[in-house]
Short mmCIF file of all heavy atoms in Angstrom, two decimals:
data_model
loop_
_atom_site.label_atom_id
_atom_site.label_comp_id
_atom_site.label_asym_id
_atom_site.label_seq_id
_atom_site.Cartn_x
_atom_site.Cartn_y
_atom_site.Cartn_z
N ASP B 370 9.21 -31.40 -23.78
CA ASP B 370 7.99 -31.65 -24.62
C ASP B 370 6.75 -32.00 -23.78
O ASP B 370 6.07 -32.86 -24.13
CB ASP B 370 8.45 -32.88 -25.43
CG ASP B 370 7.54 -32.95 -26.61
OD1 ASP B 370 6.91 -31.93 -26.99
OD2 ASP B 370 7.59 -33.90 -27.41
N LEU B 371 6.47 -31.02 -22.85
CA LEU B 371 5.34 -31.42 -22.03
C LEU B 371 4.14 -30.59 -22.48
O LEU B 371 4.26 -29.41 -22.84
CB LEU B 371 5.58 -30.93 -20.56
CG LEU B 371 6.64 -31.74 -19.91
CD1 LEU B 371 7.00 -31.30 -18.55
CD2 LEU B 371 6.28 -33.18 -19.72
N ASP B 372 2.90 -31.07 -22.46
CA ASP B 372 1.65 -30.43 -22.86
C ASP B 372 1.04 -29.85 -21.54
O ASP B 372 1.00 -30.46 -20.55
CB ASP B 372 0.73 -31.32 -23.54
CG ASP B 372 0.87 -31.14 -25.00
OD1 ASP B 372 1.28 -30.09 -25.45
OD2 ASP B 372 0.46 -32.08 -25.73
N ARG B 373 0.57 -28.70 -21.63
CA ARG B 373 -0.17 -28.12 -20.45
C ARG B 373 -1.66 -28.40 -20.62
O ARG B 373 -2.28 -28.20 -21.58
CB ARG B 373 0.10 -26.60 -20.34
CG ARG B 373 1.47 -26.42 -20.06
CD ARG B 373 1.47 -25.07 -19.18
NE ARG B 373 2.29 -25.23 -17.93
CZ ARG B 373 2.55 -24.25 -17.29
NH1 ARG B 373 2.16 -23.08 -17.44
NH2 ARG B 373 3.26 -24.53 -16.02
N ASP B 374 -2.15 -28.93 -19.51
CA ASP B 374 -3.61 -29.23 -19.40
C ASP B 374 -4.39 -27.96 -19.46
O ASP B 374 -3.85 -26.85 -19.18
CB ASP B 374 -3.94 -30.13 -18.31
CG ASP B 374 -5.26 -30.69 -18.44
OD1 ASP B 374 -5.72 -30.68 -19.49
OD2 ASP B 374 -5.72 -31.35 -17.48
N LEU B 375 -5.71 -28.19 -19.61
CA LEU B 375 -6.60 -26.99 -19.56
C LEU B 375 -6.51 -26.18 -18.33
O LEU B 375 -6.61 -24.98 -18.11
CB LEU B 375 -7.94 -27.38 -19.88
CG LEU B 375 -9.05 -26.35 -20.31
CD1 LEU B 375 -8.58 -25.72 -21.72
CD2 LEU B 375 -10.35 -27.01 -20.52
N GLY B 376 -6.39 -26.96 -17.34
CA GLY B 376 -6.34 -26.33 -15.97
C GLY B 376 -5.06 -25.86 -15.58
O GLY B 376 -4.95 -25.16 -14.46
N ASP B 377 -4.06 -26.01 -16.42
CA ASP B 377 -2.71 -25.45 -15.99
C ASP B 377 -2.38 -24.29 -16.85
O ASP B 377 -1.19 -23.84 -16.64
CB ASP B 377 -1.74 -26.59 -16.24
CG ASP B 377 -1.81 -27.73 -15.21
OD1 ASP B 377 -2.43 -27.42 -14.06
OD2 ASP B 377 -1.45 -28.82 -15.54
N GLU B 378 -3.30 -23.70 -17.57
CA GLU B 378 -2.85 -22.66 -18.40
C GLU B 378 -2.81 -21.31 -17.52
O GLU B 378 -3.76 -20.91 -17.09
CB GLU B 378 -3.93 -22.49 -19.52
CG GLU B 378 -3.56 -21.49 -20.58
CD GLU B 378 -2.33 -21.94 -21.38
OE1 GLU B 378 -2.38 -23.06 -21.97
OE2 GLU B 378 -1.50 -21.17 -21.42
N GLU B 379 -1.56 -20.84 -17.43
CA GLU B 379 -1.39 -19.60 -16.45
C GLU B 379 -1.34 -18.39 -17.20
O GLU B 379 -1.41 -17.28 -16.42
CB GLU B 379 -0.20 -19.88 -15.57
CG GLU B 379 -0.43 -20.81 -14.45
CD GLU B 379 0.80 -21.01 -13.75
OE1 GLU B 379 1.67 -20.22 -13.79
OE2 GLU B 379 0.91 -22.14 -13.10
N SER B 380 -1.36 -18.28 -18.49
CA SER B 380 -1.22 -16.97 -19.12
C SER B 380 -2.60 -16.67 -19.59
O SER B 380 -3.42 -17.43 -19.95
CB SER B 380 -0.27 -17.08 -20.24
OG SER B 380 -0.54 -17.98 -21.15
N PHE B 381 -2.82 -15.45 -19.83
CA PHE B 381 -4.04 -14.88 -20.42
C PHE B 381 -4.18 -14.86 -21.80
O PHE B 381 -3.08 -14.70 -22.54
CB PHE B 381 -4.39 -13.39 -19.81
CG PHE B 381 -4.52 -13.43 -18.43
CD1 PHE B 381 -3.46 -13.13 -17.43
CD2 PHE B 381 -5.73 -13.87 -17.87
CE1 PHE B 381 -3.72 -13.02 -16.15
CE2 PHE B 381 -5.88 -13.93 -16.44
CZ PHE B 381 -4.97 -13.48 -15.69
N ASP B 382 -5.18 -15.05 -22.32
CA ASP B 382 -5.44 -15.10 -23.84
C ASP B 382 -5.51 -13.69 -24.38
O ASP B 382 -6.55 -13.37 -25.05
CB ASP B 382 -6.56 -15.90 -24.20
CG ASP B 382 -6.77 -16.10 -25.64
OD1 ASP B 382 -5.71 -16.10 -26.38
OD2 ASP B 382 -7.84 -16.54 -26.06
N VAL B 383 -4.40 -12.85 -24.27
CA VAL B 383 -4.50 -11.45 -24.65
C VAL B 383 -3.26 -11.26 -25.41
O VAL B 383 -2.16 -11.77 -25.10
CB VAL B 383 -4.39 -10.54 -23.42
CG1 VAL B 383 -4.63 -9.13 -23.91
CG2 VAL B 383 -5.49 -10.98 -22.44
N GLU B 384 -3.40 -10.50 -26.53
CA GLU B 384 -2.19 -10.25 -27.30
C GLU B 384 -1.28 -9.27 -26.61
O GLU B 384 -1.83 -8.36 -25.92
CB GLU B 384 -2.64 -9.73 -28.69
CG GLU B 384 -3.52 -8.49 -28.66
CD GLU B 384 -4.07 -8.12 -29.93
OE1 GLU B 384 -4.90 -8.90 -30.47
OE2 GLU B 384 -3.77 -7.00 -30.33
N ASP B 385 -0.05 -9.53 -26.59
CA ASP B 385 0.91 -8.74 -25.88
C ASP B 385 0.96 -7.34 -26.56
O ASP B 385 1.37 -7.22 -27.60
CB ASP B 385 2.28 -9.43 -25.94
CG ASP B 385 2.71 -9.90 -24.44
OD1 ASP B 385 2.05 -9.35 -23.63
OD2 ASP B 385 3.61 -10.51 -24.44
N LEU B 386 0.99 -6.36 -25.67
CA LEU B 386 1.08 -5.10 -26.26
C LEU B 386 2.54 -4.67 -26.31
O LEU B 386 3.34 -4.79 -25.42
CB LEU B 386 0.52 -4.03 -25.27
CG LEU B 386 -0.88 -3.51 -25.40
CD1 LEU B 386 -1.08 -2.43 -24.47
CD2 LEU B 386 -1.07 -3.03 -26.77
N ASP B 387 3.13 -4.38 -27.55
CA ASP B 387 4.46 -3.91 -27.65
C ASP B 387 4.51 -2.69 -27.93
O ASP B 387 4.13 -2.09 -29.12
CB ASP B 387 5.15 -4.82 -28.70
CG ASP B 387 6.64 -4.60 -28.73
OD1 ASP B 387 7.18 -4.04 -27.74
OD2 ASP B 387 7.31 -5.01 -29.61
N GLU B 388 4.93 -1.69 -27.00
CA GLU B 388 4.89 -0.34 -27.24
C GLU B 388 6.30 0.16 -27.54
O GLU B 388 6.61 1.46 -27.39
CB GLU B 388 4.31 0.42 -25.97
CG GLU B 388 2.82 0.46 -26.00
CD GLU B 388 2.25 1.19 -24.90
OE1 GLU B 388 3.02 1.62 -24.00
OE2 GLU B 388 1.10 1.56 -24.93
N GLY B 389 7.32 -0.64 -27.45
CA GLY B 389 8.57 -0.10 -27.82
C GLY B 389 9.30 0.03 -26.46
O GLY B 389 8.77 0.12 -25.35
N PRO B 390 10.60 -0.26 -26.49
CA PRO B 390 11.48 -0.10 -25.20
C PRO B 390 11.58 1.18 -24.73
O PRO B 390 11.57 2.14 -25.50
CB PRO B 390 12.74 -0.78 -25.64
CG PRO B 390 12.90 -0.51 -27.17
CD PRO B 390 11.49 -0.49 -27.64
N VAL B 391 11.66 1.28 -23.45
CA VAL B 391 11.99 2.61 -22.84
C VAL B 391 13.44 2.58 -22.38
O VAL B 391 13.74 1.66 -21.75
CB VAL B 391 10.99 2.79 -21.61
CG1 VAL B 391 11.47 4.04 -20.80
CG2 VAL B 391 9.61 3.08 -22.03
N PHE B 392 14.19 3.58 -22.64
CA PHE B 392 15.64 3.48 -22.40
C PHE B 392 16.05 4.13 -21.28
O PHE B 392 17.01 3.90 -20.66
CB PHE B 392 16.52 3.97 -23.67
CG PHE B 392 16.20 3.04 -24.83
CD1 PHE B 392 15.82 3.62 -26.08
CD2 PHE B 392 16.31 1.65 -24.82
CE1 PHE B 392 15.57 2.78 -27.09
CE2 PHE B 392 16.17 1.03 -25.90
CZ PHE B 392 15.78 1.39 -27.10
N ALA B 393 15.36 5.32 -20.80
CA ALA B 393 15.86 6.10 -19.70
C ALA B 393 14.54 6.94 -19.37
O ALA B 393 13.83 7.32 -20.20
CB ALA B 393 16.99 6.90 -19.97
N MET B 394 14.76 7.45 -18.14
CA MET B 394 13.74 8.50 -17.75
C MET B 394 14.43 9.66 -17.07
O MET B 394 15.56 9.44 -16.47
CB MET B 394 12.77 7.89 -16.59
CG MET B 394 11.60 7.17 -17.15
SD MET B 394 12.00 5.37 -17.38
CE MET B 394 11.91 4.77 -15.54
N CYS B 395 13.87 10.74 -17.04
CA CYS B 395 14.47 11.88 -16.34
C CYS B 395 13.40 12.84 -15.83
O CYS B 395 12.37 12.89 -16.28
CB CYS B 395 15.49 12.64 -17.22
SG CYS B 395 14.72 13.95 -18.07
#
Side-chain angles (χ1 to χ4, degrees):
Chain B
D370 200 10
L371 298 172
D372 259 337
R373 288 210 131 172
D374 195 10
L375 200 59
D377 290 334
E378 190 62 54
E379 280 176 24
S380 60
F381 292 101
D382 188 19
V383 186
E384 52 189 67
D385 245 347
L386 266 189
D387 190 12
E388 281 185 344
V391 171
F392 296 124
M394 277 94 69
C395 92

